[in-house]
Amino acid sequence: MKTKTLKGGAFIIEDQDLNSFYAPEMLSEEVQQFSEMISDFVEKKVKPNFDKIDKGAHDLVVSLLKEAGELGILSASLPEEYQGLNVDFHTESIISEQVGKAHSFSVALAAHTGIGTLPILYFGNSEQKSKYLPGLGSGALLASYCLTEPGSGSDALGAKTKAVLSEDGKHYILNGQKMWITNAGFADVFIVFAQVDGDKFTGFIVEKGSEGLTLGAEEEKMGIKGSSTRMVFLENVKVPVENLLGEIGKGHKIAFNVLNIGRYKLCVMAMGGAKETFNHAVRYANERIQFKIPIAKFGAIREKIADMAISIYATESATYRTSGLIENQIQELTSNGMDKTSAKLEAAEEYSIECALLKVIGSETLDLVVDESVQIYGGMGFSEESPVARAYRDSRINRIFEGTNEINRLLGVGTLAKRAMKGELDLQSPIKAAMGDLMNMDFSEVSGDLGAEKKSIANAKKAFLIIAGGAIQKFGLEFERQQEIIMKLSDIMIDIFAAESILMRVEKKIQTSGLEGAAHDINILKVFLYEAMDRIYMKGKQAIHSSQEGDQMTMMLMGLKRFTKYESINVVETKRAIAKIYIEKQAY
Amino acid sequence: MKYLVCISKVPDTTAKISFKNEDKEFNSDGVTFIMNPTDEWYALVRALELKEASGGQVTVINVGPKDNEKFLRSAIAIGADDAVLIEANEETESYYIAKNIAKYAQENGYNFVITGKETISFNSFSLGGMIAEFMDLPFINQATQWMLNGEVSTIYKEIEGGEEVLEVTGNCVISAQKGMAEQRLANMKGIMMAKTKPLAIIPIALGEEKVQVSQYQVTPPRGNCKMFTLDQIDELVQALQSEAKVI
Ligand SMILES: Cc1cc2nc3c(=O)[nH]c(=O)nc-3n(C[C@H](O)[C@H](O)[C@H](O)COP(=O)(O)OP(=O)(O)OC[C@H]3O[C@@H](n4cnc5c(N)ncnc54)[C@H](O)[C@@H]3O)c2cc1C
């Protein structure tokens, strides 16, 4: 079957072919077996140790990481020539989802397999790969990633750590400080970024035990207390020239590329955590009796359950859609002769806009879920006796690391604009068309299954385009400085991406289970859209009021109103129906 | 040595249990099934350990609907060499299942047939004994340890207040319980390899269900239970007086 692939970021101007859409319901039996196996590992090996891990038992984290290595979890995405399992991208997704339930341990594992291992996999030369990858895959070696410094976090390239070639040309001498380094306490391998000749940002592989490499004390953190986070000090550390990673001055490529996949995986892990916390909350709501009935019977609680479930469903739809886009791209590139590792790197870069948006979606869904779950638990939620207290503390970091959510929102819109400027995406014509539609009244009837929903999403894209187009026209090169407007555009993009992902998942569901079989999914779609269109209207209005004037403003506001219209639904009844399903199932 | 390990599926331990068809049938709607823990953790893993120590073949077998294939695949992922599914309706009737397994074991020259002590769903404890009877072999029930030296099996069993150590020469049927082995998680490689190992689906040979369930009954839930520790005697007395009002 010929399917057109959707380029990265193009979802905002085009429709994706349903044949190329990937839904979580399509995960193969083998992938589900991986999922069960990893879930078993987390349940039986990690969960009983949550308390000990959070009290600082890093040796336990290390032994569990090694156990994960034996099970193949750490080497799953590595190529076979380095004793990896070379799994497909959906399997990588499911691993992250299940590992995401493991609190501090999940952070240790993700930092090791992601930002710790990937720089060597993607940018190491063959000697470096042979030397480190088998050990990193088995857990014999554990890795950390040292980018952030006291003076440079979001502004990662502003790092001050220096690397100077020794006189005999055999070593680089590294001097500087790194901060907030996950896994620092037990890492054998430190991926360190430093400036060569003062301004050539470059990656290095530094080994534990190198003279001059020392660690600060463990940070006292708000959450993920069991994850080792320390400063790393480099004082005249001699790093053999063979350990230079990639090319001199190309460190930014390493730093940013591993973050694309990192952001995607952070989203999937957050979703796994959200499902787990949701399950606790629903069970508690069924068990807790007040005023002689289970609190799950109160509308206020039911609405929370529905809101959480809808948010998880949206995240899941957007996540697996992206998993599908990336996997399709990997397959296309490998069938053209590219090796799989390069293909994965390139695919993740292609979908870097989606990865940035997902990072925001996943971490904010988790924050919603842990917050409402604590609320459902009431006083018990404030007690360390309940599982949701830990979930609440551990959630918050996700909006900060792997690029703060502000940085990722800026990236979503910024990368889109950049691609348009480079001519890789044609934003100009769709903006023109949408502007044209401002004048044309649209009397077309909606028809077919989900006709209203499809039309609303198409219109929401027009809303995005007129606001973005209008703001770019108004501010020109100054657009980049209008962060308040960019934040709003980003939020609109997120709503569109999520809504369309839900829509396509529902369409697939209707294909396999019919309208009746998809009734619950359709309810979720309706409520999500109903609320999303209001959000888009509100954000859009603020953006237009703040960027336009006179007739243009009036016309755009009228258009926005038209473009964000959706059916009137009985949102209370629909949410009740949604919540009922989960309350009966006692799980997501 | 050839080991035949019987694998059944059971509802997940957290499943909500209900019945349908006038309480004659288990309602499996929305229930997730897992491999029966005693089959998986003890019978299968011990057979694998013995095979790893002195060679042989471990086959897993199930009598049931085609869907059960996935439990056999999971068993292969843990390490079994191959699998056999004798296709039948839902598995409820031990006699019918035992007869088919015995026939397969006999025809294919298995030395040992191993089951879990019981299924955690129907808890009938009966399959192993029946298989042994059909095969005319000794049956060792609820074994906690099993060593194999040449032809001779040394098997430990718990008995009231102590332990019994048995020596069995030659082929036998064993039901395994806690102590026999430690649970093994499948690893990812095992799961990937499982696709490539043989899984035969054969039609049921002897189909005669002798026992029929006429009704299931759910025991009424226990009343609220309150736990007291040894140092809470005063609270206990207080509760018996004022809450339970029995003293
Ligand atoms: C527990 C933990 C583990 C970590 N692990 C690692 C690790 O393993 N390796 C590593 O290298 N780093 C790690 N980090 C660092 C992390 O990536 C940074 O904290 C993060 O990138 C933010 O940088 P910062 O803390 O310096 O915040 P800042 O950059 O100072 O940001 C402060 C605020 O300003 C906003 N802001 C900054 N710049 C802009 C801008 N241009 N426009 C708009 N808003 C802006 C931010 O969004 C944020 O709200 C970790 C951090 C923590 C807390």
Side-chain angles (χ1 to χ4, degrees), chain A residues 28-229:
Chain A
S28 70
E29 194 175 297
E30 186 186 70
V31 175
Q32 277 163 26
Q33 280 186 343
F34 290 138
S35 171
E36 280 165 29
M37 166 225 142
I38 295 161
S39 161
D40 248 16
F41 169 68
V42 172
E43 281 292 318
K44 297 193 174 119
K45 305 284 175 148
V46 190
K47 206 181 218 179
N49 289 311
F50 279 166
D51 282 337
K52 278 192 212 147
I53 291 175
D54 274 0
K55 291 205 172 97
H58 298 306
D59 47 337
L60 203 54
V61 172
V62 170
S63 67
L64 285 167
L65 282 170
K66 293 192 192 286
E67 218 170 303
E70 280 164 29
L71 293 174
I73 300 174
L74 308 183
S75 60
S77 64
L78 301 179
E80 276 147 4
E81 52 188 311
Y82 305 109
Q83 282 100 63
L85 297 173
N86 197 25
V87 298
D88 67 6
F89 201 68
H90 302 313
T91 303
E92 290 196 38
S93 300
I94 210 76
I95 293 175
S96 298
E97 184 173 336
Q98 291 298 352
V99 168
K101 300 173 179 171
H103 293 280
S104 292
F105 177 76
S106 69
V107 178
L109 190 146
H112 167 71
T113 57
I115 52 182
T117 299
L118 295 183
I120 298 179
L121 174 63
Y122 291 141
F123 299 94
N125 56 37
S126 57
E127 288 80 47
Q128 292 167 339
K129 289 193 210 181
S130 308
K131 182 169 178 199
Y132 295 106
L133 291 181
L136 293 169
S138 73
L141 296 176
L142 296 173
S144 70
Y145 174 88
C146 313
L147 175 65
T148 307
E149 299 187 1
S152 61
S154 301
D155 180 19
L157 300 183
K160 293 206 175 66
T161 297
K162 281 197 188 82
V164 179
L165 193 61
S166 64
E167 271 175 18
D168 59 6
K170 288 192 178 142
H171 293 94
Y172 280 96
I173 313 293
L174 267 60
N175 276 290
Q177 299 182 358
K178 296 290 172 178
M179 197 170 182
W180 306 119
I181 305 309
T182 302
N183 292 354
F186 49 76
D188 305 287
V189 174
F190 298 77
I191 306 296
V192 176
F193 293 90
Q195 311 279 5
V196 174
D197 301 338
D199 62 351
K200 298 194 185 77
F201 191 69
T202 308
F204 294 90
I205 306 169
V206 181
E207 292 189 14
K208 178 186 192 154
S210 302
E211 210 182 313
L213 178 82
T214 54
L215 304 176
E218 284 290 343
E219 301 287 347
E220 300 270 348
K221 302 192 294 293
M222 176 199 290
I224 55 163
K225 287 170 184 280
S227 148
S228 170
T229 318

Side-chain angles (χ1 to χ4, degrees), chain B residues 12 15 46 52 74 82 88 145 149 159 165 209 217 228 230 232:
Chain B
D12 187 5
R46 189 56 192 154
E52 283 155 6
S74 302
D82 60 346
Q145 286 185 60
N149 196 347
I159 51 173
V165 186
E209 287 202 57
Q217 284 176 357
F228 294 92
L230 270 179
Q232 291 177 306

Side-chain angles (χ1 to χ4, degrees), chain A residues 237-286:
Chain A
V237 176
K238 276 166 80 177
V239 180
V241 287
E242 304 87 78
N243 282 17
L244 189 139
L245 197 52
E247 291 171 45
I248 295 177
K250 295 279 170 66
H252 61 284
K253 281 186 79 173
I254 307 176
F256 295 151
N257 271 300
V258 302
L259 285 177
N260 289 330
I261 295 211
R263 285 169 184 152
Y264 171 80
K265 290 200 173 167
L266 182 141
C267 170
V268 194
M269 291 197 356
M271 177 176 76
K275 286 185 187 176
E276 178 79 356
T277 304
F278 176 85
N279 291 350
H280 287 304
V282 176
R283 267 177 239 142
Y284 188 83
N286 274 329

Side-chain angles (χ1 to χ4, degrees), chain B residues 111-160:
Chain B
N111 304 92
F112 300 104
V113 180
I114 312 110
T115 71
K117 151 178 118 165
E118 57 173 331
T119 56
I120 58 165
S121 51
F122 294 101
N123 313 82
S124 79
F125 291 86
S126 55
L127 194 74
M130 289 191 203
I131 295 173
E133 174 63 21
F134 291 134
M135 294 179 74
D136 198 16
L137 288 179
F139 175 50
I140 294 83
N141 197 7
Q142 304 185 42
T144 54
Q145 286 185 60
W146 173 21
M147 274 74 70
L148 185 60
N149 196 347
E151 286 267 280
V152 182
S153 292
T154 306
I155 300 173
Y156 285 63
K157 283 188 59 166
E158 267 171 29
I159 51 173
E160 190 64 41

